Amino acid sequence: MNTAPIIGFEAAREYLNLLHDPVASMRSLYERRGPLVVLGPVALGEPTKLHVLAVGPEFNRQVLGDPAKFRPTGLFLRGPTNSAQRRVRFGLTRMTGEQHRQQRQLVMPPFHKTAVRSYHDLMTGITTQMLDRWRPGQRYDIYSEMRELTLQIASAVLFSHDPAEALPLGRLVEEWLRRSFAGPVWLFPVNFPGTPYRGLIRHAEKMEERILAMIAKRRRSPEAHNDVLSLLIRARDDENHGMTDTELVGQTTILFMASFETTASALTWTLFLLAQHPAVMHELMGELDAVLGGNGPTPEQLPQLKFLSYVIQESMRVLPPVPYTVRAATRYVKMGPHTVPTGARIFCSHYLTHHLPDIYPEPERFRPERWREIEPNQYEYLPFSAGPRMCIGAMFATQLLQISLATMLQRFRFTVVPETRIDRAVRITMQPRHGLPMMIFENDRKFTASEVRGQIREMVTLP
Ligand code: HEM
C-alpha cells in the first residue's frame, strides 16, 4: 500500500478529478492507494491545504465522531461582511462548539418522532395531489417531479401550511441554491453591478427579507401557526433563551436546503432501483397489498411495512444521496501513519464505505433482503452521516420516503425509458445528471427492467 502523499503534477490532476467527479475520483484513489490517501501541494511552497481521503468505519469514527478535532467546512460562498449572504448560510451545518450544541438543542424538537408523525397528513396530501396530476401512458422526468414534490412538502412543513405563503419562499431558496453552485460566482466572486456574484448577494437579501417578514408575522400571533418556523420561534433552551431573528433566518434556510434535494435524490434513486428489479417490486407489492390494501398508509401502518424499510435502506446504501462529507482538522491529528496538520480537509466517503465487500457482500447488488440479516453500526452505514453532527432530519426523511413510495407504487407502475443514459452529478447530493425519464402506467404489475447506459452501471449491478 503506497502511503506517500501525492504531490506536484499528479496532485493537480487528482484535485481536478475530485472537482469533476468526486465519487469516481475517490474510488480510483482508494483502489490505487488504499484507505488513507494524502493529496499534498501542487507546487513547492504553495499554500494549498492538504486533502485527505479516509475510507472505512474506523476513519469515519475518528473523524465524524470527534467534532472538536474535525470541524465542518464551507461549501457556500461567504459573501461580504454583514451581508444577507453570510447570514442565510449560517445555520446548524456551519456552527461549531457550544453554539452548535445550543442551537441543535433548539432545532431538534420539531424533528423528534411525535412531531414528525404530525406531518403525516401534509406529506400524504401533497403526494396525492402530484399523483392526481399524472396521466398513465405518459413520460415524466421523475427527478424533476421528485424535486417538485419534496420542495412542496419541505416548504409546507418548514415555512407555512398555506402554500400561497410557503411556495414562493421555497422557490426563492431553490434559486439561491442554484446560483450558489453556478461556476461563474466561484470563478469571479466580485461584487460589481451585473456580475453573477452580485446577483447571488441580491438574491440572498430578497430571501432574508421574506423570511424576516414571516418571522414578524408569527411573533405577532405565535399560536396561529404550526409550521417548523413557528416552533423554532417558540423554542427555548435549558436557560430559557430563544433564537434571534438572525439565527432563525440561517436555521430555516439550512433546514430547507438540507431537506429537499436530499429527499428528492433518495426518492428518485429508489424508484429507479425498483423499476430495474422486477422481483423486488413483486415482493414489495405483496407487502403493500397485505398491509394497505390499496389505501394510503396511516401512521400506525408505517412500522408494519418492513420490506419497504429494507428497500429504502438498501437504496441509500447503494446510491447514497449524500456520497461524502468533508471536515477540516482543527489541530495536528494522527491518522494512520500520517500527522495531519491544522486546516487539512478530510473526505469521508459514505459511498465507498457502503460498497466495502467485507461489510456488504456483493456490494454493487441491490438486495433489500440483506437487511434481514445485517445490522451495521453507525460508522458502517451512514446515509445520514454519524456522530454528534448526524442529520437531524433522518426521521422526517424516512417518513416522507415511506409515505410517498407506498402511495406512488400502489397507484402506478414505473418503467425507465429504454436506452437512457444515467450519469451522476454531485454537488452536495448525488443526482442523475440528465434527469430520469420514466414512463408511468396503471399498476398492472407487469414489471420489466430496461436497458440503460452510463455511469449507473459502475455503481449498481443491473439484472
Ligand atoms: C434522505 C434525506 C437526507 C439525507 C440523505 C441527509 C443526509 C445528511 C448528512 C449526510 C448530513 C451530515 C452532513 C455533514 O456532516 O457535513 C446531514 C446533516 C443535516 N441534515 Fe440531513 N439528510 C436528509 C434529510 C434531511 C431533512 C429532511 C432535514 C430537515 C428537515 C435535514 C436536516 C439536516 C441538518 C440540519 C443537518 C446538520 C446537522 C448538524 O450539523 O448538526 N436533513 N444530513
Side-chain angles (χ1 to χ4, degrees):
M1 202 89 354
N2 186 352
T3 56
I6 299 175
I7 53 168
F9 176 71
E10 207 189 334
R13 202 179 53 203
E14 297 299 347
Y15 284 123
L16 284 177
N17 289 344
L18 206 59
L19 266 180
H20 174 64
D21 183 350
V23 169
S25 132
M26 288 183 210
R27 190 180 46 208
S28 154
L29 283 170
Y30 171 67
E31 283 168 1
R32 283 179 289 137
R33 314 274 299 214
L36 193 71
V37 186
V38 178
L39 290 181
V42 170
L44 218 57
E46 182 233 18
T48 309
K49 302 246 186 307
L50 281 191
H51 285 61
V52 179
L53 170 65
V55 179
E58 279 322 305
F59 286 127
N60 292 339
R61 184 189 305 276
Q62 182 183 4
V63 177
L64 302 173
D66 192 347
K69 289 193 189 132
F70 299 95
R71 64 167 171 81
T73 172
L75 285 161
F76 291 97
L77 280 172
R78 290 176 66 168
T81 318
N82 278 332
S83 63
Q85 171 65 14
R86 281 217 178 177
R87 292 185 290 274
V88 296
R89 61 184 263 297
F90 196 67
L92 218 47
T93 47
R94 299 282 307 141
M95 294 174 170
T96 55
E98 177 50 27
Q99 186 183 33
H100 176 260
R101 192 205 59 74
Q102 187 255 0
Q103 290 282 306
R104 193 169 158 112
Q105 188 194 358
L106 288 170
V107 176
M108 274 305 289
F111 301 99
H112 283 154
K113 203 169 171 183
T114 352
V116 169
R117 220 175 129 122
S118 72
Y119 313 141
H120 187 103
D121 290 352
L122 264 180
M123 291 176 176
T124 310
I126 294 173
T127 306
T128 310
Q129 277 168 22
M130 176 188 72
L131 300 190
D132 289 345
R133 204 168 34 79
W134 284 356
R135 293 287 162 260
Q138 297 284 313
R139 172 182 165 145
Y140 293 90
D141 173 9
I142 288 298
Y143 179 53
S144 303
E145 295 291 316
M146 293 305 109
R147 277 180 74 93
E148 182 60 24
L149 174 69
T150 55
L151 183 138
Q152 290 194 19
I153 292 178
S155 305
V157 174
L158 297 175
F159 302 144
S160 169
H161 297 353
D162 172 9
E165 189 181 29
L167 270 178
L169 177 55
R171 299 211 188 284
L172 274 180
V173 187
E174 184 191 26
E175 170 67 11
W176 175 75
L177 255 178
R178 196 192 56 72
R179 286 176 185 252
S180 296
F181 283 100
V185 300
W186 287 88
L187 290 172
F188 193 59
V190 178
N191 193 3
F192 248 46
T195 61
Y197 182 76
R198 169 68 67 92
L200 172 71
I201 310 255
R202 290 273 174 271
H203 192 85
E205 285 164 9
K206 220 174 357 163
M207 212 163 84
E208 182 184 50
E209 225 170 81
R210 194 174 279 255
I211 303 176
L212 285 172
M214 285 169 83
I215 295 172
K217 186 169 155 195
R218 281 155 182 74
R219 286 207 194 277
R220 282 195 299 273
S221 53
E223 301 308 325
H225 302 270
N226 251 338
D227 41 72
V228 170
L229 178 57
S230 307
L231 300 178
L232 295 183
I233 291 172
R234 300 202 285 268
R236 293 290 174 271
D237 67 9
D238 296 339
E239 271 129 45
N240 204 28
H241 294 135
M243 281 191 202
T244 63
D245 283 6
T246 306
E247 286 166 346
L248 285 164
V249 165
Q251 299 300 11
T252 36
T253 316
I254 292 300
L255 281 172
F256 182 82
M257 216 191 71
S259 61
F260 111 95
E261 278 199 336
T262 46
T263 30
S265 284
L267 275 169
T268 305
W269 291 126
T270 310
L271 286 171
F272 167 76
L273 289 165
L274 284 170
Q276 293 296 90
H277 292 82
V280 175
M281 227 9 257
H282 278 291
E283 184 165 354
L284 180 57
M285 282 314 299
E287 178 178 270
L288 296 177
D289 288 343
V291 179
L292 307 178
N295 301 311
T298 63
E300 294 70 31
Q301 285 166 329
L302 289 182
Q304 296 170 42
L305 299 173
K306 283 262 175 335
F307 192 67
L308 178 60
S309 302
Y310 298 153
V311 164
I312 294 169
Q313 277 169 295
E314 180 70 346
S315 159
M316 290 199 289
R317 180 190 71 76
V318 181
L319 298 170
V322 180
Y324 68 93
T325 298
V326 192
R327 293 284 186 264
T330 60
R331 60 194 78 171
Y332 276 78
V333 191
K334 184 117 181 75
M335 292 189 78
H338 297 283
T339 301
V340 169
T342 309
R345 300 276 192 272
I346 323 292
F347 290 77
C348 289
S349 172
H350 314 176
Y351 178 87
L352 287 175
T353 304
H354 288 183
H355 286 249
L356 291 175
D358 292 352
I359 310 175
Y360 305 102
E362 299 187 286
E364 270 75 43
R365 286 194 58 204
F366 174 68
R367 287 202 302 113
E369 66 278 11
R370 76 169 80 229
W371 289 89
R372 293 200 174 99
E373 279 136 39
I374 59 171
E375 219 174 307
N377 69 37
Q378 61 164 325
Y379 297 102
E380 292 172 333
Y381 180 67
L382 58 167
F384 296 108
S385 194
R389 305 196 68 110
M390 187 191 157
C391 177
I392 64 164
M395 233 172 305
F396 179 110
T398 306
Q399 179 175 295
L400 192 161
L401 285 161
Q402 288 171 323
I403 293 176
S404 302
L405 288 167
T407 315
M408 285 190 261
L409 294 169
Q410 288 191 103
R411 195 137 148 209
F412 294 110
R413 169 168 67 82
F414 294 78
T415 306
V416 181
V417 171
E419 294 305 322
T420 297
R421 181 175 186 91
I422 302 174
D423 292 332
R424 62 187 161 245
V426 178
R427 298 196 307 201
I428 297 174
T429 54
M430 176 166 73
Q431 56 218 231
R433 181 175 289 279
H434 317 288
L436 179 62
M438 280 182 143
M439 298 293 299
I440 63 155
F441 302 98
E442 295 289 356
N443 192 352
D444 52 10
R445 323 251 161 153
K446 294 181 183 151
F447 305 115
T448 44
S450 304
E451 200 54 49
V452 294
R453 298 175 292 126
Q455 291 170 327
I456 192 71
R457 301 201 71 99
E458 307 151 11
M459 299 196 282
V460 52
T461 308
L462 294 170

